[in-house]
Amino acid sequence: MVATAAASSFFPITSSPDSIDSKNKKLGNGSTNLGGIKLKPSASSGSLQVKANAQAPPKINGTTVVMTPVEGFTSEDAASSLPPRTFINQLPDWSMLLAAITTIFLAAEKQWMMLDWKPRRPDMLIDPFGIGRIVQDGLVFRQNFSIRSYEIGADRTASIETLMNHLQETAINHCKSAGLLGDGFGATPGMCKKNLIWVVTRMQVVVDRYPTWGDVVQVDTWVSASGKNGMRRDWLVSNSKTGEILTRASSVWVMMNKLTRRLSKIPEEVRGEIEPHFMNSDPVVAEDNRKLVKLDDSTAQYVRKGLTPRWSDLDVNQHVNNVKYVGWILESTPLGIVESHELCSMTLEYRRECGRDSVLQSLTAVSGVGNLGNMGEIECQHLLQLEEGSEIVRGRTQWRPKNAKSFGKMDQVPAQSA
């Protein structure tokens, strides 16, 4: 009964006079008992008189409803009192539905705002979404990275390319967080106006220990002046849980015009943008001033030819990403060294860029204290060049026996010098 009443309130149904007359004909002149209701034709006007048996007052939702009998209610009156049957007046009352939906959304929003997103365990990521922050008087940028399963190699440790990608990512994010990122990739607004970009000329990396799958590393980076027209960027990579220093790196960057592909001095406008962010500190890695030798076919012991860039190797400046050069240099490293030793130090000098149509070759010469026949440290000289002879990168790597103790320690971000 309640369902019928609710349905009728949303979808009113009217009856035409013809239908009422047809029902009267079916009922006939005699009295008919329909569930306790007797219908009898009226003697005066032919109207339908309704007489019900005495029953208890009906109840709807626990409330007694008093029903008043209607006398002299004719079919003509019913047809004239009800509005005409149209599509509009048959639509339900949507205000009730909208009110219910609004209530549900408000309750859900309240529950969402009451959620506490703070980590429940101390070993969880402090920076779970990889969004770094500025620390130490606004001069140091800090970002956390979790070592993923696809970033480790056969030794179950992160590859050197993974570490280099972390360094590059924090450098870009540092510029963005400091408000120095213009329309270019790592370029300030003043650099964008003059079509200038940063290019790395020298990189030194020292790896004390490689992180493993599941480790969370904390990368700190800051910038300093390097001569009159250069900038030095340092990185310090540590275990976010223990504080152990894992990797140290230092690099030198200069500006290049992306249209002419020539090096450029730092304009005064750009210098005013970047100098407030310089930290007056010493390099985190002591500079290795030893000259990097140039290899050729007669001095190189191992050569890998036919290296070509893929589309995914290019950056937004349309030249090969500098991290890719590291992988190409290691292509010619003897497999025996890679299997028994791990890379612990690397010095690179970037001579020129290469594009997607370049064909390169990687040359390596083994030197230093150790060699392939013993388990001492090994030093290798490297050259990455175009097949026609133009140099791309010169390099020197040092390798230590696997599981050997780390060499060199540095346990904190350097404080700014007076």
Side-chain angles (χ1 to χ4, degrees):
M1 180 177 179
V2 176
T4 304
S8 62
S9 64
F10 276 90
F11 299 95
I13 301 176
T14 61
S15 300
S16 63
D18 296 336
S19 61
I20 296 177
D21 293 341
S22 62
K23 291 180 180 179
N24 291 339
K25 292 179 182 180
K26 291 182 180 180
L27 290 175
N29 297 328
S31 63
T32 305
N33 189 350
L34 301 175
I37 300 178
K38 293 183 179 180
L39 302 179
K40 188 179 295 183
S42 175
S44 60
S45 61
S47 62
L48 194 64
Q49 185 178 10
V50 180
K51 182 183 290 184
N53 291 337
Q55 294 180 354
K59 293 183 178 182
I60 298 178
N61 295 334
T63 304
T64 302
V65 179
V66 179
M67 301 180 65
T68 304
V70 180
E71 294 290 338
F73 187 79
T74 63
S75 59
E76 290 78 10
D77 295 333
S80 61
S81 62
L82 293 175
R85 184 176 183 182
T86 63
F87 173 76
I88 298 298
N89 60 22
Q90 292 186 72
L91 292 176
D93 187 0
W94 292 105
S95 61
M96 299 177 61
L97 181 60
L98 292 176
I101 295 175
T102 302
T103 303
I104 294 173
F105 272 98
L106 291 176
E109 183 182 12
K110 183 177 181 180
Q111 292 295 325
W112 181 267
M113 296 299 293
M114 293 175 61
L115 290 176
D116 185 8
W117 288 97
K118 294 182 180 179
R120 299 294 193 275
R121 304 196 319 267
D123 59 332
M124 291 182 67
L125 276 172
I126 300 175
D127 189 12
F129 302 107
I131 303 174
R133 62 190 187 277
I134 300 291
V135 297
Q136 194 166 326
D137 298 329
L139 298 177
V140 177
F141 179 78
R142 176 171 295 169
Q143 186 171 0
N144 290 348
F145 296 92
S146 178
I147 304 302
R148 313 294 183 182
S149 59
Y150 53 82
E151 295 175 324
I152 62 176
D155 297 328
R156 299 186 179 184
T157 59
S159 63
I160 185 64
E161 290 94 336
T162 295
L163 301 182
M164 297 291 288
N165 281 325
H166 290 170
L167 304 185
Q168 182 171 271
E169 180 70 10
T170 51
I172 298 297
N173 291 338
H174 183 195
C175 295
K176 182 178 180 180
S177 299
L180 296 178
L181 198 61
D183 295 333
F185 193 63
T188 67
M191 294 173 61
C192 294
K193 294 178 183 178
K194 299 181 180 298
N195 295 316
L196 298 176
I197 59 175
W198 288 111
V199 292
V200 58
T201 60
R202 186 178 179 87
M203 172 81 73
Q204 286 185 255
V205 181
V206 175
V207 181
D208 295 325
R209 187 177 70 81
Y210 286 90
T212 60
W213 174 45
D215 287 348
V216 179
V217 297
Q218 175 182 289
V219 183
D220 292 334
T221 183
W222 59 94
V223 291
S224 306
S226 178
K228 294 181 178 181
N229 291 295
M231 179 184 72
R232 190 187 78 242
R233 178 174 287 277
D234 293 322
W235 293 271
L236 195 62
V237 183
S238 61
N239 186 301
S240 65
K241 185 176 180 180
T242 65
E244 176 190 3
I245 300 302
L246 305 177
T247 304
R248 295 166 284 143
S250 184
S251 61
V252 177
W253 300 70
V254 295
M255 289 188 180
M256 183 181 74
N257 188 297
K258 65 180 180 180
L259 299 180
T260 64
R261 316 310 286 186
R262 295 180 179 273
L263 298 182
S264 171
K265 294 182 179 180
I266 299 180
E268 290 301 320
E269 178 184 356
V270 177
R271 191 181 300 276
E273 291 176 323
I274 62 177
E275 279 191 347
H277 302 276
F278 283 175
M279 175 182 284
N280 186 16
S281 63
D282 296 327
V284 71
V285 177
E287 185 176 358
D288 187 352
N289 292 320
R290 292 180 296 165
K291 184 179 180 179
L292 296 175
V293 300
K294 179 182 180 180
L295 300 178
D296 53 33
D297 292 337
S298 61
T299 56
Q301 298 167 295
Y302 305 90
V303 179
R304 177 70 182 273
K305 297 183 178 181
L307 301 174
T308 57
R310 298 173 299 176
W311 177 259
S312 59
D313 297 330
L314 304 179
D315 59 20
V316 297
N317 295 318
Q318 296 299 311
H319 62 238
V320 175
N321 190 296
N322 64 80
V323 177
K324 185 61 182 178
Y325 295 149
V326 177
W328 281 338
I329 284 176
L330 300 181
E331 283 287 335
S332 59
T333 304
L335 183 59
I337 295 180
V338 177
E339 290 178 339
S340 61
H341 291 65
E342 64 180 7
L343 180 64
C344 59
S345 176
M346 176 174 60
T347 301
L348 303 175
E349 284 185 359
Y350 295 87
R351 296 304 180 96
R352 60 170 295 174
E353 60 182 345
C354 67
R356 63 179 180 177
D357 298 326
S358 303
V359 181
L360 304 94
Q361 57 183 8
S362 176
L363 294 80
T364 296
V366 179
S367 60
V369 178
N371 54 56
L372 296 179
N374 60 47
M375 291 300 293
E377 289 189 359
I378 298 175
E379 185 174 280
C380 297
Q381 306 292 332
H382 304 274
L383 176 64
L384 186 67
Q385 65 180 13
L386 299 176
E387 285 196 339
E388 47 87 4
S390 299
E391 292 183 78
I392 303 296
V393 180
R394 289 187 189 183
R396 178 173 51 244
T397 58
Q398 289 181 300
W399 303 74
R400 61 169 172 255
K402 291 183 178 178
N403 301 321
K405 292 184 178 180
S406 303
F407 68 97
K409 295 291 182 181
M410 183 170 291
D411 54 4
Q412 63 182 358
V413 176
Q416 184 173 0
S417 303

